[in-house]
Amino acid sequence: MKVLMKGNEAIAEAALRAGCECFFGYPITPQTELLQYMAKKLLKSGGVFIQAESEVGAINMAYGAASCGKRVMTSSSGPGISLKQEGISYLAGAELPCVIVNIMRGGPGLGNINAAQSDYLQATKGGGHGDYKVIVLAPSSVQEAVDLTIKAFDLADKYRNPVMILGDGMLGQMMEVVEFDENYKRPRTEKPWAVTGERNRPKRVTNSLYIVPEELEKHNFKLREKYKKIEENEVMVEEYMTDDAQVIFVSFGMCARIVKSAVNKLRQSGEKVGLIRPITLYPFPTKCIEKYANFDRIKFFIDVEMNLGQMLEDVKLSVAGKKDVHFYGRTGGMVPTIAEIENYYFSLKE
Amino acid sequence: MKLRKPECLTAESMHYCPGCGHGIIHRLIAEVIDEDYKDHKIVGVAPVGCAVFIYDYFNFDFVAAAHGRATAAATGVKRCIPDALVFSYQGDGDIAAIGTSEVVHAAARGENFTAIFVNNGVYAMTGGQMAPTTIPGQVTVSSPYGRDPKVQGYHIKLCEMLIPLDGVAFVARTSIHNLKNIELTKKAIKRAFEVQMNKEGFSIIEVLSNCPTNWGMTPAESMKRIENEVLKYYNLGIFKDKGRGI
Ligand code: SF4
């Protein structure tokens, strides 16, 4: 059945359909509708909903609930995610599955409440302390936000790892028609580690403390192996009009959608352009970009973001110096227009 | 008399300094659990501080929380396993400084778990710095001239702060400086767990304890100090027991 839904609410509904049993949050614009939707649904259905006293409280409640093997979600926006980073590091260290939604706004500091992609680096490069990784999924439509939210729960369980949905204020606030998969079946994941309090079996402890250096190193190596598996198996990327492209745009999330329109317009004027849209920001689709960097027909890349080039390094690392990588970005909650992107493209072509 | 090790304690030998109150308080919890909750579901929530390895000493499930966040983690746990006995075990730095917000709000929400708050007046694990509970005049490595309320402010009386909250069902302050008070501490733990299992709301026991190492005293001297100095600032008693009209 198709329904018209706001991004934030669609993510919440998708989470519920994925079997999310617990939600802990704190109001912050532009993600608050997600919290409100969860309040409405979870309080009635016997699930756990708590509006916490702070983002710190919320993520640590999520830590406790995730320890019990439940499907757990928390959501916020930039400044709140900064506060949650402590808990995210602990979730990753203790290998606990948890879905974290970041509907980004402008930063740094209080910034503003407009749509921006200001938290790419924070999301993909740790954010909290320690050697750890969070799987980061970046939807570019409300429908994709729905699909990726469901996937996020499955990935979190599969890898015992936090998974972040990285959207922006535009995605959170816009209404689009979405369809929910009525046949979704939660994969059977055994959780033999889950803290349930039972006494008739060996005790279980969720913990991220390894006081002996040798043991912590072993734990970090083990996590590294897990991340390698994630990098091998979970990369998602959209390649659009790249078959004969000579110039390739790289862009993610809602910004990529604007770039896609720019690609369509440029194609109408006979320009051979295409788009690579990383759907997973971690693991980053390095191999895909590298493949195109090796083609002779590719003249250069243009990275477009709603920030000052946070993904640029990852794109450049993937291109590995084989081609030039240019950057166009708007920041502060400003959204690039199709015309701006076209103009930038033509300015490079000259 | 031969003392038997409570069944819910593991064979692991504790890392606490000789004469430290943590060992006594662990044992009291273990005795209460053996007596009243033999096969009952239990989850402990471990702090960061001297008791960070508490999960090694008990043979039931534990969740090890970030510094100060044990009451938030315990909230998540208890809401997911409402029929389990859930307790957090926290020091004064953990629960009364960095975790103040979490404990106040868990208490206000009336979360049905028990916080066991061990107050020895210092950050013991990091080497004896001033804690929120350090009493006026007390010398610590970070209040080297003695805590001066005009400079460092006053000590926090967490129990007194929580009593007015409607979500709070049981509040007690006890001590372990002598046998009589050890016995009273055990009684308070028993009652707090009972209040929790009756789903009456949040329960907290503040246990005045010693830290011979960071107080620079022998264990015997440290027990005397509780009696002679600490008790002047922290009075003992059951301050609130909703179910019994206190
Ligand atoms: S430092 Fe103090 S509180 Fe910590 S174990 Fe030693 S005596 Fe006990």
Side-chain angles (χ1 to χ4, degrees):
Chain A
M1 194 183 71
K2 289 190 168 152
V3 282
L4 185 66
M5 274 186 117
K6 208 173 191 179
N8 282 332
E9 294 179 343
I11 291 171
E13 178 61 31
L16 293 169
R17 284 166 184 259
C20 174
E21 300 154 281
C22 307
F23 180 91
F24 307 95
Y26 185 82
I28 181 172
T29 310
Q31 66 79 47
T32 305
E33 295 84 359
L34 208 167
L35 171 120
Q36 290 166 191
Y37 196 93
M38 286 303 204
K40 207 166 165 185
K41 298 279 168 135
L42 276 175
L43 285 174
K44 274 265 150 66
S45 68
V48 176
F49 170 88
I50 298 181
Q51 181 175 321
E53 65 278 11
S54 68
E55 286 87 351
V56 178
I59 192 80
N60 285 286
M61 290 172 196
Y63 177 94
S67 292
C68 299
K70 301 287 179 186
R71 284 202 149 181
V72 182
M73 181 186 249
T74 180
S75 71
S76 193
S77 183
I81 294 290
S82 296
L83 290 173
K84 286 190 200 289
Q85 291 296 349
E86 173 195 84
I88 297 174
S89 169
Y90 280 76
L91 285 163
E95 294 195 83
L96 294 173
C98 180
V99 176
I100 301 145
V101 181
N102 181 0
I103 300 298
M104 291 180 282
R105 53 189 263 175
L110 208 46
N112 63 23
I113 57 169
N114 290 50
Q117 296 182 323
S118 47
D119 308 338
Y120 176 93
L121 285 171
Q122 188 196 41
T124 60
K125 310 295 177 201
H129 55 284
D131 274 333
Y132 77 92
K133 286 289 180 187
V134 167
I135 299 172
V136 184
L137 311 176
S140 73
S141 68
V142 178
Q143 180 64 56
E144 197 180 26
V146 161
D147 300 339
L148 289 181
T149 298
I150 291 168
K151 176 134 188 139
F153 281 96
D154 294 347
L155 286 174
D157 277 351
K158 182 174 172 190
Y159 291 102
R160 288 184 61 183
N161 208 68
V163 178
M164 183 179 283
I165 306 284
L166 193 67
D168 64 45
M170 224 186 317
L171 180 82
Q173 296 300 323
M174 77 193 297
M175 287 186 94
E176 284 192 300
V177 172
V178 290
E179 197 166 9
F180 293 95
D181 176 8
E182 302 295 341
N183 299 317
Y184 168 75
K185 281 223 166 52
R186 177 173 166 172
R188 270 193 68 88
T189 325
E190 297 299 325
K191 296 187 174 176
W193 48 267
V195 164
T196 56
E198 308 285 350
R199 303 286 289 284
N200 53 1
R201 52 146 171 83
K203 72 169 166 182
R204 298 171 181 175
V205 177
T206 56
N207 189 15
S208 62
L209 177 68
Y210 294 84
I211 203 83
V212 180
E214 284 83 357
E215 282 177 19
L216 180 55
E217 188 181 54
K218 211 171 115 197
H219 178 60
N220 275 319
F221 281 146
K222 181 185 153 216
L223 292 179
R224 183 63 248 174
E225 284 310 306
K226 172 164 86 177
Y227 302 145
K228 266 193 200 148
K229 265 197 205 119
I230 293 172
E231 285 161 19
E232 276 159 26
N233 301 322
E234 307 300 344
V235 173
M236 287 187 277
V237 59
E238 181 189 356
E239 297 165 56
Y240 182 71
M241 300 242 178
T242 48
D243 284 351
D244 62 341
Q246 293 172 349
V247 171
I248 287 186
F249 287 95
V250 187
S251 189
F252 74 95
M254 288 303 285
C255 189
R257 201 154 147 185
I258 301 164
V259 175
K260 199 182 231 179
S261 303
V263 166
N264 288 339
K265 274 205 79 187
L266 286 165
R267 280 276 172 182
Q268 280 167 19
S269 348
E271 300 298 321
K272 294 201 162 171
V273 293
L275 165 70
I276 293 176
R277 177 173 71 91
I279 298 170
T280 47
L281 300 181
Y282 176 81
F284 193 72
T286 302
K287 283 193 184 132
C288 170
I289 294 175
E290 193 184 10
K291 178 180 82 188
Y292 287 97
N294 284 327
F295 291 153
D296 287 340
R297 66 174 151 92
I298 302 293
K299 295 204 173 77
F300 54 85
F301 290 81
I302 306 175
D303 174 15
V304 185
E305 300 180 60
M306 279 151 45
N307 59 46
L308 290 180
Q310 297 197 16
M311 183 175 68
L312 186 57
E313 268 179 35
D314 286 334
V315 177
K316 281 188 173 172
L317 280 172
S318 309
V319 170
K322 288 167 192 153
K323 299 281 152 61
D324 283 344
V325 182
H326 302 278
F327 175 73
Y328 186 79
R330 296 297 302 270
T331 176
M334 295 297 293
V335 177
T337 64
I338 296 166
E340 278 170 44
I341 295 165
E342 276 183 294
N343 288 344
Y344 184 67
Y345 167 79
F346 284 120
S347 76
L348 291 172
K349 238 193 124 191
E350 276 159 14
Chain B
M1 187 178 88
K2 203 168 163 244
L3 271 181
R4 274 213 3 253
K5 198 182 187 87
E7 274 177 38
C8 69
L9 286 178
T10 61
E12 199 89 15
S13 56
M14 292 184 190
H15 71 284
Y16 301 113
C17 311
C20 171
H22 278 305
I24 300 172
I25 301 163
H26 283 19
R27 187 184 167 101
L28 296 178
I29 296 171
E31 285 179 3
V32 172
I33 287 172
D34 276 8
E35 286 163 22
D36 298 350
Y37 305 94
K38 217 163 169 16
D39 302 306
H40 201 276
K41 278 190 197 176
I42 299 175
V43 181
V45 180
V48 175
C50 275
V52 70
F53 296 123
I54 184 173
Y55 47 76
D56 284 339
Y57 308 138
F58 289 92
N59 62 18
F60 45 78
D61 288 4
F62 257 89
V63 170
H67 190 41
R69 318 297 177 217
T71 48
T75 297
V77 170
K78 183 72 188 204
R79 294 282 186 120
C80 289
I81 330 172
D83 56 335
L85 177 80
V86 177
F87 69 92
S88 72
Y89 187 97
Q90 301 173 264
D92 37 48
D94 196 86
I95 200 171
I98 193 166
T100 324
S101 163
E102 284 78 4
V103 70
V104 167
H105 289 274
R109 285 190 306 266
E111 298 293 343
N112 261 305
F113 66 85
T114 304
I116 297 173
F117 158 30
V118 179
N119 178 2
N120 58 20
V122 284
Y123 282 80
M125 191 208 212
T126 46
Q129 294 80 17
M130 185 182 74
T133 50
T134 298
I135 58 179
Q138 187 176 338
V139 172
T140 73
V141 287
S142 60
S143 55
Y145 311 110
R147 181 177 201 152
D148 177 357
K150 285 202 194 74
V151 181
Q152 287 111 339
Y154 289 93
H155 57 298
I156 278 188
K157 293 184 257 184
L158 187 66
C159 281
E160 285 82 344
M161 283 166 57
L162 298 179
I163 293 165
L165 300 176
D166 292 335
V168 176
F170 182 85
V171 182
R173 185 182 289 116
T174 64
S175 173
I176 48 132
H177 68 279
N178 58 28
L179 275 176
K180 182 184 137 225
N181 281 285
I182 288 174
E183 215 22 67
L184 290 173
T185 300
K186 181 175 168 182
K187 269 200 179 140
I189 295 171
K190 231 183 197 329
R191 177 64 188 148
F193 284 177
E194 194 177 66
V195 164
Q196 174 186 164
M197 297 325 281
N198 292 342
K199 300 193 188 338
E200 289 176 45
F202 185 77
S203 48
I204 182 165
I205 311 142
E206 175 177 344
V207 186
L208 299 181
S209 187
N210 59 336
C211 177
T213 301
N214 288 299
W215 294 1
M217 291 174 179
T218 65
E221 284 166 356
S222 69
M223 293 304 188
K224 279 258 141 22
R225 179 182 175 262
I226 296 180
E227 185 163 14
N228 298 332
E229 292 177 43
V230 182
L231 284 181
K232 280 189 221 155
Y233 293 90
Y234 294 107
N235 56 326
L236 305 179
I238 290 173
F239 304 136
K240 189 172 185 179
D241 188 340
K242 254 189 183 173
R244 290 184 178 161
I246 299 171

